[in-house]
Amino acid sequence: MTDDRVVVALDVGGTGMKCAVVRPDGVVVRAERHPTDAARGPAAVVGTILDVAEGLADKARADGLTPIAVGIAVPGVVDEARGVAVWSANVGFRDVPVRDLAVARLGLPTALGHDVRVGGLAEARLGAGRGSGHVLFVAIGTGIAAAHVVDGTAAVGAHGAAGEIGHILVRPDGPRCGCGRPGCLEAIASAAAIGRRYAELAGPSADAAVTAAEVAERAATGEPLAGQVWQEAIDALADGLASGQALFDVATIVLGGGLAQAGDGLLTPLRAAMRERMTFHREPHLVAAALGDEAGCLGAALLALDAVGVRDHQEKR
Amino acid sequence: MTDDRVVVALDVGGTGMKCAVVRPDGVVVRAERHPTDAARGPAAVVGTILDVAEGLADKARADGLTPIAVGIAVPGVVDEARGVAVWSANVGFRDVPVRDLAVARLGLPTALGHDVRVGGLAEARLGAGRGSGHVLFVAIGTGIAAAHVVDGTAAVGAHGAAGEIGHILVRPDGPRCGCGRPGCLEAIASAAAIGRRYAELAGPSADAAVTAAEVAERAATGEPLAGQVWQEAIDALADGLASGQALFDVATIVLGGGLAQAGDGLLTPLRAAMRERMTFHREPHLVAAALGDEAGCLGAALLALDAVGVRDHQEKR
C-alpha cells in the first residue's frame, strides 16, 4: 500500500524554527528553516508559525501528499493537554493557545509539545534510544533539561513541568542558579556554567570568553585548569544522572544538546564517574544523541502522528 | 447487582505479613496477620505465604465469596513483569518465582508487587492522594523509598528498581549511606539516620538509643540539640523532595512510613522548607498518608484487581 499521508512539524526556538514535512515512518520529505525573530513580539511569532505551517501543508499537497496533522514544539512551560504555550523566556509566549490557533488556521488536528520532551520522544523512538523501552534524554546546553520516555511516551507532569533535571540539587555550597537556588546541576554543569567557571578561575588576565567546547578541547590537550573545570562538571553531571537513575531506573540515558558534541571527551569520563556511583542501581547505557538538532522537529512530527493515532506504522520501519 | 468477587492480598514484611480478603471497592472483609519468621529461610517463608493465601481463599469461599485473584507485595527488588522476587535483605529472597508458585498452588491469577510501590498505589487511589492524578508517595522509615503513581499506575522502571529517592544525593560531604555512597538522602533523613545523628551529637554520656520519634518530640518541647537534628533532617528532606518535584512535577506528595507519624511536627516545617525551594516549580500538596500500615495490603489487592481487569468498579466507589 502506498501511503501519501504526511504531517507538518515545527520546532520553534529562540532564534530559529526548524520545520519539516514528515512521513509516518519518520522520513523527512521536505525541510525548511525560518528565523523566529522573537524581538517582534509573540503575536508576530505566532503569525510566522501559522504562515510556515500553512505553507508547508500547501507544498505537501502540491507534491501529491495529504497532510493529516500538525505538530509544534516550543520551549518553556507547555500545557500539552490544553495546547497552550504557558510561558517562555526565549520566545516571549504567555498563555498563547497555539494549538487552537493552528486548528483554526489550517483545519488540521494539531498537537503542541515541549521542545526537550519531543526531542526525547524522537531520540527514544527513532534515535539513540531506539529499542530501549525506558529512556532518559538529557539535553545539556545553556541549561540542562530532561525527558523521561517510557514505551514511547514522554512524562509531562501534573502541570507540564516534568523533567527539570537541571534544577536538582548537587552542590549545596555551589554557585547560585538562574532559578534562584544554590547548587543546581545546571549552575555547575551546563555549557554556560562551564564557560563561566573557567573564566572565573582563569582570572581577569585570561581570554574573556571561553566556551564549554573549548574547555573540553583544552582539557583533552592536558591544560590543567581546563581539566579541573571539565572534571568538576563531569562529577556534577554524574551525581545528577545517578540521582535520576535512582528515581527512574531507565535502561538508556541519551545525552543531547551542545555539550554532547564533545563526544567521547564527555562520554568516557562520564561513564567512569557514573560507574563509581552505581551501588544498588542497574547501570544504564550512556550514549550520545543520534538525531542532532533535528530531534525536536522529528519529535513534533511524532506528537502529530500520535494525535491522529498513526503510530504502529512508524514504529515498524 | 451484588458482587461476590474478592481478591486475596498479602503484604510480606521482614517480621510480619498483613493479609486480607478485599472487595473490588477496596473494602476489607477479612484481615489476618501472621509472623514471617524469616530466619526459617526463604523456602519456609514462601510455604507460609502460599498456606496463608490458600487459607484466605478457602475462608472467602466458605463465606459465599468468589476469590478471583491474588496479590502479593514483597520488599527488595521485584521483577513485577515476571512475578519474581529478585532480591530482599529482610526476607532472604533470591530469584523466587513467587507468582508462578502461587498460581500453581491456588489456581488463581496472581500479581507480585513491590511493597512501597503498592503502598503508593493504594495511597494514590484509595488514600491521601485520591483524586490527584500525579502522586509521589514517599515512605520514610529505616530507609526512604518512593513510588511515582500517575493515573493510578506506579512506575516500575526498566529493572524493577524505580523510586529509590533515599539514594539521591543531597549532602556530598555528608555521612556515608548503607549503599556505600556519601550524602544520600536516606543517610541523613531516615528515621534510623535521625536517631544515629542525635546519639552522635549527644555524645557517649547521653541515652544510648533515642528514636527519631523521640527526637521529634524533644524538638517540639524546645530541646536545642533535638531541634538541630530535626531541622537538619527537614532540610535534607526538603532538598530531596524539591529535586523529586523538579523531575516528576506531581500534584501531591504523600508522606508515609514511621516518620510521618510525627504529623504536623514533620509536615509544618517541611512545607515551609519546601516552599523556600520552589522557584520555577509548581508547589505540590504535601500530606500525610491516610492508610497507615494497611497501605501495602490494600495495594496488593489493587494489583490483583488490575491483573484481572477489575478496576473501574473500585475507582467509582
Side-chain angles (χ1 to χ4, degrees), chain A residues 163-183:
Chain A
E164 294 286 358
I165 200 169
H167 300 283
I168 66 173
L169 177 72
V170 294
R171 297 287 178 270
D173 53 0
R176 193 158 295 273
C177 179
C179 83
R181 293 290 305 171

Side-chain angles (χ1 to χ4, degrees), chain A residues 120-201:
Chain A
L121 207 61
E123 286 290 347
R125 281 159 64 174
L126 303 171
R130 199 165 167 192
S132 169
H134 291 253
V135 173
L136 187 68
F137 171 68
V138 182
I140 312 172
T142 310
I144 301 181
H148 181 219
V149 185
V150 175
D151 295 337
T153 300
V156 171
H159 320 92
E164 294 286 358
I165 200 169
H167 300 283
I168 66 173
L169 177 72
V170 294
R171 297 287 178 270
D173 53 0
R176 193 158 295 273
C177 179
C179 83
R181 293 290 305 171
C184 291
L185 176 58
E186 183 169 304
I188 294 138
S190 67
I194 292 169
R196 271 198 309 271
R197 176 69 171 153
Y198 186 90
E200 178 193 323
L201 293 181

Side-chain angles (χ1 to χ4, degrees), chain B residues 120-310:
Chain B
L121 207 61
E123 286 290 348
R125 282 160 63 175
L126 303 172
R130 197 164 169 194
S132 171
H134 291 253
V135 174
L136 187 68
F137 171 68
V138 182
I140 312 172
T142 310
I144 301 181
H148 181 219
V149 185
V150 176
D151 295 336
T153 300
V156 170
H159 321 92
E164 293 286 358
I165 200 169
H167 299 284
I168 68 173
L169 177 72
V170 293
R171 297 288 178 268
D173 53 0
R176 194 157 293 273
C177 179
C179 83
R181 295 289 306 170
C184 291
L185 177 58
E186 183 169 304
I188 294 138
S190 67
I194 292 169
R196 272 198 308 270
R197 176 69 171 154
Y198 186 90
E200 178 193 322
L201 293 181
S205 63
D207 319 349
V210 176
T211 67
E214 286 161 353
V215 172
E217 281 165 24
R218 293 181 188 193
T221 62
E223 190 202 291
L225 181 61
Q228 177 195 334
V229 170
W230 190 243
Q231 192 58 45
E232 284 177 6
I234 295 286
D235 286 339
L237 272 177
D239 284 332
L241 294 180
S243 289
Q245 181 65 357
L247 289 173
F248 293 128
D249 180 31
V250 296
T252 306
I253 295 178
V254 178
L255 296 182
L259 205 70
Q261 288 168 15
D264 286 341
L266 173 68
L267 286 171
T268 303
L270 186 53
R271 282 196 192 106
M274 282 284 285
R275 194 159 296 143
E276 279 174 26
R277 287 159 175 80
M278 301 288 94
T279 56
F280 66 91
H281 327 61
R282 294 285 196 91
E283 189 180 338
H285 298 284
L286 187 67
V287 295
L291 303 175
D293 70 358
E294 282 198 5
C297 191
L298 284 171
L302 293 176
L303 215 56
L305 289 163
D306 288 353
V308 291
V310 180

Side-chain angles (χ1 to χ4, degrees), chain A residues 53-144:
Chain A
E54 192 172 40
L56 282 171
D58 288 344
K59 289 172 195 165
R61 288 191 193 96
D63 290 340
L65 300 170
T66 304
I68 56 171
V70 178
I72 302 171
V74 298
V77 178
V78 182
D79 185 331
E80 306 194 354
R82 294 191 303 128
V84 174
V86 176
W87 183 88
S88 146
N90 299 350
V91 189
F93 290 148
R94 299 286 181 280
D95 289 315
V96 180
V98 178
R99 184 182 64 194
D100 289 352
L101 291 170
V103 169
R105 174 78 167 269
L106 282 88
L108 289 171
T110 301
L112 183 72
H114 177 265
D115 57 352
V116 174
R117 285 198 290 267
V118 301
L121 207 61
E123 286 290 347
R125 281 159 64 174
L126 303 171
R130 199 165 167 192
S132 169
H134 291 253
V135 173
L136 187 68
F137 171 68
V138 182
I140 312 172
T142 310
I144 301 181

